[in-house]
């Protein structure tokens, strides 16, 4: 049984779990835009999270996917039609327009769009792609304006893939963090990556911020609750390139956590490594549509007993920030009864040190309930 601090909290530092606005207030506005970050700060987020990519002219910008058709209106720009192509991104074949083929000036002519058809679409095309420098400036301005420290959480996205194209991102990121005066363990910044080599490289080049090893998986075997793995989220791409065929699963073992502790301060696991789900199986061996809404998804499954990952990571001296918490019913296990706050509560009670969320307000409301529950 994990030991609570005298204040009842089970986090590594004994403080309340952090609410990390994943891609900004992405449940409400087109993600990774200054407007989405501003909304997250207004809602009360402790931290804003961003994925970093590199433009043709070497500028770090905030987008989750190199394939711009996923999160921008580039398909509606005939002037760029000829640049559409099919390529592999971290081993996965994709068709679209890719960030490395566009200068920042060209990117700024695009509008960001929602990446989820179930979320508001009325803001599509209204906001621009943000540069990392604009986000640093925003962080500084908002911290002054609100009087509370707003932390940032940049991720090196597809770093090996970009390096192979002659667009390495790490040195640029370190230089910008240094210039912003954020290069220390206590500065309001966390630097994350799925690729250990990217984190190790930055550490070796003098990056002194808190570092987070992200740990991915593809899906869940609904019969057993076990994690499944598939390209491109089966392992760090640098491992695939090197012929190392282990999966992310090795990172959550005690030996894997001890190895992570040699270069990082925390882990960012997919939340199913902490609480997985199991479905009800039909005679055909497939999960059944238990709620009879015509689709089989997480809402047809129930949470199973938690793993020991949070306690194991804490034992190794690593904090734990699981991703990603979302409000939509189809993404909530049935035992949460359609209330996303119940999911946060389950993880807060296990002692996670923070949560990546698309819905800052829901995460904060659940945190308030949790703190009350433990008498704080
Ligand atoms: O960085 C935490 C979380 O964002 C990882 O997943 O794919 O949204 O970057 P992804
Ligand atoms: Ca991310």
């Amino acid at each position: 049984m994990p030991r609570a601090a005298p204040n009842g909290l089970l986090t590594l530092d004994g403080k309340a779990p952090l609410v990390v606005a994943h891609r900004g207030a992405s449940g409400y506005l087109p993600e990774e835009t200054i407007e989405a970050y501003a909304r997250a700060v207004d809602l009360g987020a402790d931290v804003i999270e961003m994925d970093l990519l590199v433009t043709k002219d070497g500028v770090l910008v905030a987008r989750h996917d190199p394939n711009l058709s996923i999160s921008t209106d580039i398909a509606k720009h005939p002037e760029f039609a000829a640049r559409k192509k099919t390529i592999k991104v971290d081993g996965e074949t994709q068709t679209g327009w890719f960030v490395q083929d566009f200068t920042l000036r060209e990117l700024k002519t695009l509008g960001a769009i929602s990446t989820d058809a179930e979320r508001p679409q009325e803001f599509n095309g209204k906001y621009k792609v943000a540069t990392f420098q604009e986000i640093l400036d925003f962080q500084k301005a908002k911290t002054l304006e609100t009087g509370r420290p707003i932390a940032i959480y940049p991720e090196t996205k597809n770093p090996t893939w970009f390096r192979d194209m002659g667009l390495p991102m790490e040195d640029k990121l370190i230089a910008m963090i240094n210039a912003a005066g954020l290069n220390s363990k206590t500065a309001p910044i966390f630097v994350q990556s799925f690729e250990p080599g990217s984190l190790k490289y930055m550490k070796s080049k003098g990056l002194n911020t808190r570092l987070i090893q992200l740990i991915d998986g593809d899906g869940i075997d609904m019969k057993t609750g076990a994690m499944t793995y598939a390209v491109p989220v089966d392992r760090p791409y640098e491992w695939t390139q090197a012929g190392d065929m282990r999966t992310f699963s090795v990172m959550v073992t005690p030996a894997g956590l001890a190895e992570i502790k040699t270069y990082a301060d925390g882990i960012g696991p997919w939340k199913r490594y902490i609480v997985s789900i199991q479905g009800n199986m039909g005679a055909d061996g497939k999960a059944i549509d238990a709620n009879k809404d015509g689709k089989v998804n997480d809402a047809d499954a129930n949470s199973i007993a938690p793993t020991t990952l949070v306690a194991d990571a804490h034992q190794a001296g690593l904090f734990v920030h699981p991703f990603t918490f979302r409000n939509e019913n189809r993404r909530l296990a049935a035992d949460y009864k359609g209330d996303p706050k119940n999911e946060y509560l389950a993880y807060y009670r296990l002692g996670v040190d923070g949560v990546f969320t698309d819905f800052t307000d829901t995460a904060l409301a659940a945190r308030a309930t949790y703190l009350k529950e433990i008498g704080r």
Side-chain angles (χ1 to χ4, degrees):
M1 193 68 186
R3 186 182 295 238
N7 60 14
L9 284 158
L10 290 163
T11 49
L12 189 62
D13 62 3
K15 294 182 181 164
L18 292 170
V19 171
V20 182
H22 179 248
R23 313 185 197 174
S26 51
Y28 303 112
L29 294 174
E31 65 193 41
E32 315 232 14
T33 59
I34 292 295
E35 290 79 4
Y37 293 124
R39 176 69 64 84
V41 171
D42 290 348
L43 290 172
D46 302 308
V47 187
I48 52 173
E49 191 258 359
M50 65 262 352
D51 305 288
L52 299 180
L53 307 176
V54 193
T55 66
K56 184 178 182 178
D57 47 344
V59 181
L60 294 182
V61 292
R63 287 284 93 192
H64 183 265
D65 300 276
N67 187 341
L68 298 166
S69 50
I70 294 172
S71 68
T72 77
D73 59 7
I74 195 162
K76 292 185 180 165
H77 285 251
E79 69 276 22
F80 297 137
R83 288 187 226 177
K84 189 175 185 182
K85 63 186 186 184
T86 298
I87 59 170
K88 281 193 171 180
V89 180
D90 282 8
E92 180 189 45
T93 301
Q94 295 187 19
T95 297
W97 292 262
F98 295 87
V99 67
Q100 68 273 15
D101 295 334
F102 294 84
T103 63
L104 176 63
R105 193 175 172 157
E106 290 172 329
L107 278 186
K108 285 287 189 183
T109 68
L110 306 177
I113 61 170
S114 170
T115 57
D116 187 326
E118 285 185 24
R119 293 184 178 173
Q121 304 297 310
E122 62 266 35
F123 306 103
N124 287 356
K126 289 192 159 76
Y127 310 136
K128 302 290 180 206
V129 172
T131 65
F132 184 53
Q133 187 58 55
E134 288 165 350
I135 293 170
L136 287 167
D137 296 343
F138 168 85
Q139 175 193 25
K140 202 169 172 185
K142 275 290 173 189
T143 297
L144 275 174
E145 182 190 316
T146 61
R148 62 190 175 92
I150 309 296
I152 58 170
Y153 212 132
E155 176 183 344
T156 57
K157 206 76 179 169
N158 313 103
T160 296
W161 186 76
F162 274 106
R163 192 174 311 116
D164 287 350
M165 290 188 295
L167 292 170
M169 60 177 67
E170 287 89 352
D171 291 311
K172 293 178 201 299
L173 179 56
I174 297 168
M176 293 174 80
I177 289 171
N178 266 321
L182 293 172
N183 194 11
S184 79
K185 286 280 180 225
T186 53
I189 184 169
F190 300 81
V191 177
Q192 51 171 338
S193 187
F194 283 109
E195 297 200 26
S198 183
L199 296 173
K200 289 176 184 173
Y201 175 83
M202 291 188 284
K203 189 178 171 81
S204 77
K205 291 290 179 180
L207 185 63
N208 296 319
T209 66
R210 286 165 287 190
L211 300 176
I212 291 79
Q213 175 64 57
L214 298 172
I215 307 174
D216 220 340
D218 182 59
I220 296 298
D221 178 336
M222 288 289 222
K223 187 173 180 185
T224 64
M227 187 79 55
T228 59
Y229 295 92
V231 174
V233 290
D234 47 356
R235 64 178 65 84
Y237 183 56
E238 68 188 65
W239 289 7
T240 303
Q241 274 205 332
D244 179 346
M245 301 313 280
R246 294 174 299 160
T247 65
F248 277 112
S249 63
V250 298
M251 290 187 179
V252 298
T253 63
L257 294 168
E259 157 66 12
I260 291 170
K261 181 60 182 169
T262 65
Y263 60 88
D265 304 281
I267 57 170
W270 183 28
K271 64 186 178 184
R272 295 285 176 243
Y273 279 105
I274 298 172
V275 181
S276 191
I277 53 173
Q278 256 179 309
N280 302 296
M281 311 310 289
D284 59 358
K286 292 184 181 161
I288 61 170
D289 177 16
N291 63 8
K292 304 207 183 315
D293 66 353
K295 295 168 199 146
V296 177
N297 50 36
D298 290 12
D300 299 302
N302 281 287
S303 302
I304 59 175
T307 67
T308 57
L309 180 57
V310 177
D312 293 349
H314 285 175
Q315 183 71 30
L318 295 162
F319 58 76
V320 183
H321 295 165
F323 63 88
T324 299
F325 291 77
R326 297 174 163 125
N327 280 7
E328 288 89 2
N329 191 56
R330 70 184 160 89
R331 291 166 154 151
L332 294 174
D335 50 295
Y336 298 133
K337 304 195 183 314
D339 184 350
K341 289 200 287 304
N342 289 329
E343 184 180 39
Y344 294 100
L345 283 170
Y347 284 78
Y348 292 151
R349 287 170 185 148
L350 289 169
V352 299
D353 303 275
V355 289
F356 288 95
T357 175
D358 289 358
F359 296 87
T360 290
D361 45 352
T362 313
L364 286 168
R367 185 172 72 180
T369 301
Y370 170 65
L371 293 177
K372 205 169 165 188
E373 176 181 297
I374 60 170
R376 292 199 66 216

